[in-house]
Amino acid sequence: MYRIRFHGRGGQGMKTASRILGSAFFQQGYEVQDAPRYGAERRGAPVFAYVRAARRTIQERGIILEPDLVIVADDSLVPMPAAGVLQGVTPRTVLLISSGETPETWRHRLNIAGPLLTLQAEAAAGAEQHFVGTALAGAAARLVGVITLLALEQAVQLELAGLGGETLSSNLDQALAAYELMAPQAGLVSEGEALAAAAYQRPDWVELPLDEADAAAAAIHAGATSVEVRTGLWRTLRPVIDYQRCNRCWWVCSEFCPDSAIRVNAEHFPEIDYDHCKGCLICVAQCPAHAISAIPESSEAQP
Ligand code: SF4
Ligand code: SF4
């Protein structure tokens, strides 16, 4: 059975990538599971999606703990424990990181001896970062070595049919280009062993007394604790205010910001609180003077 995990940030298309790869496996006659894991309003937050594919009925359920292939759309997630990118990685797990750095750099950095590849999927996708997932699905299809170009093409057409026109054809180009790029590594990913239920190690259960819901629910007595959650870490794109263009209609951007991350200073100019701005870019869309632009978080031009 193939077990594949896609890690990225909300908005980079990890759910779509897993659906495309799952559909491509299905076109090849495999039984498939694919599922994303994320909560509400997660743009920029770490999310993951996973795919299982096998020639027999898949009895396994739940999150993939021992992946054969791990794909990372945003390399800033690798060192972040909460993202769980390296969870369950074994010496036979193939790691594919979308990064401008070399595989050697990452191997040294992570002290990993197993197969590790990099792909500049973000650069290939240009400014439209939502194409990253499509490119990575194409790369994954080639790495498993059992998916034909035709099956990949049909899967992209099927899953992205709703986008239509130029967007669909641009995504298709990204997927097929990544598929070609991975040709030297075709078949690098091998199927993992089937997990026998008999070998399942029951975890050490912690028996908890059953409480009534009002007693069992978490109670936070301190006020205003949400400020401690640095949602600024979620951002992939950063809103930047051009104060030459800003006409100080602060009630627009500050009111529309869903996270109250835009303060107004004594001169009535808006200021963005980058510790808590999650990069939803609603302010960019709402600013009537077009004074707020979005730049990639990794850009050297950021202030
Ligand atoms: S909405 Fe735009 S122009 Fe108005 S205060 Fe905010 S940044 Fe400035
Ligand atoms: S509206 Fe603008 S400032 Fe507020 S969270 Fe979204 S991107 Fe950040």
Side-chain angles (χ1 to χ4, degrees), residues 135-159:
L136 293 174
R142 196 58 177 267
L143 288 174
V144 295
V146 294
I147 295 174
T148 63
L149 189 72
L150 180 63
L152 174 64
E153 192 171 342
Q154 287 173 337
V156 174
Q157 301 267 16
L158 182 72
E159 295 300 333

Side-chain angles (χ1 to χ4, degrees), residues 113-303:
L116 192 155
L117 307 166
T118 57
L119 171 72
Q120 280 191 277
E122 200 171 305
E128 300 296 331
Q129 293 203 10
H130 48 268
F131 294 151
V132 174
T134 323
L136 293 174
R142 196 58 177 267
L143 288 174
V144 295
V146 294
I147 295 174
T148 63
L149 189 72
L150 180 63
L152 174 64
E153 192 171 342
Q154 287 173 337
V156 174
Q157 301 267 16
L158 182 72
E159 295 300 333
L160 304 185
L163 298 179
E166 265 185 41
T167 311
L168 171 58
S169 92
S170 164
N171 274 281
L172 188 56
D173 289 348
Q174 297 297 334
L176 301 186
Y179 184 91
E180 289 304 335
L181 213 58
M182 288 291 133
Q185 283 84 29
L188 184 63
V189 177
S190 56
E191 293 187 64
E193 297 285 319
L195 296 177
Y200 176 70
Q201 296 288 316
R202 213 175 85 147
D204 290 332
W205 296 107
V206 179
E207 297 292 348
L208 294 174
L210 185 65
D211 288 329
E212 293 300 321
D214 56 349
I220 298 171
H221 298 289
T225 53
S226 60
V227 74
E228 301 300 334
V229 182
R230 307 278 163 173
T231 46
L233 287 172
W234 297 7
R235 241 181 3 251
T236 51
L237 291 171
R238 164 182 291 239
V240 176
I241 300 172
D242 176 353
Y243 288 104
Q244 302 298 320
R245 286 179 160 220
C246 175
N247 57 21
R248 293 191 277 183
C249 51
W250 52 265
W251 56 91
V252 179
C253 53
S254 65
E255 286 293 319
F256 272 105
C257 175
D259 279 14
S260 301
I262 300 182
R263 298 179 289 248
V264 182
N265 68 20
E267 286 77 44
H268 295 156
F269 277 111
E271 290 176 347
I272 296 175
D273 165 9
Y274 289 112
D275 280 344
H276 297 97
C277 159
K278 64 186 180 186
C280 68
L281 306 185
I282 289 173
C283 55
V284 175
Q286 294 297 334
C287 173
H290 304 294
I292 314 178
S293 54
I295 63 170
E297 191 58 27
S298 54
S299 165
E300 290 178 11
Q302 67 182 244

Side-chain angles (χ1 to χ4, degrees), residues 82-103:
V85 170
L86 299 179
Q87 188 187 20
V89 167
T90 67
R92 56 170 291 280
T93 306
V94 178
L95 263 173
L96 172 65
I97 304 175
S98 173
S99 172
E101 294 179 283
T102 64

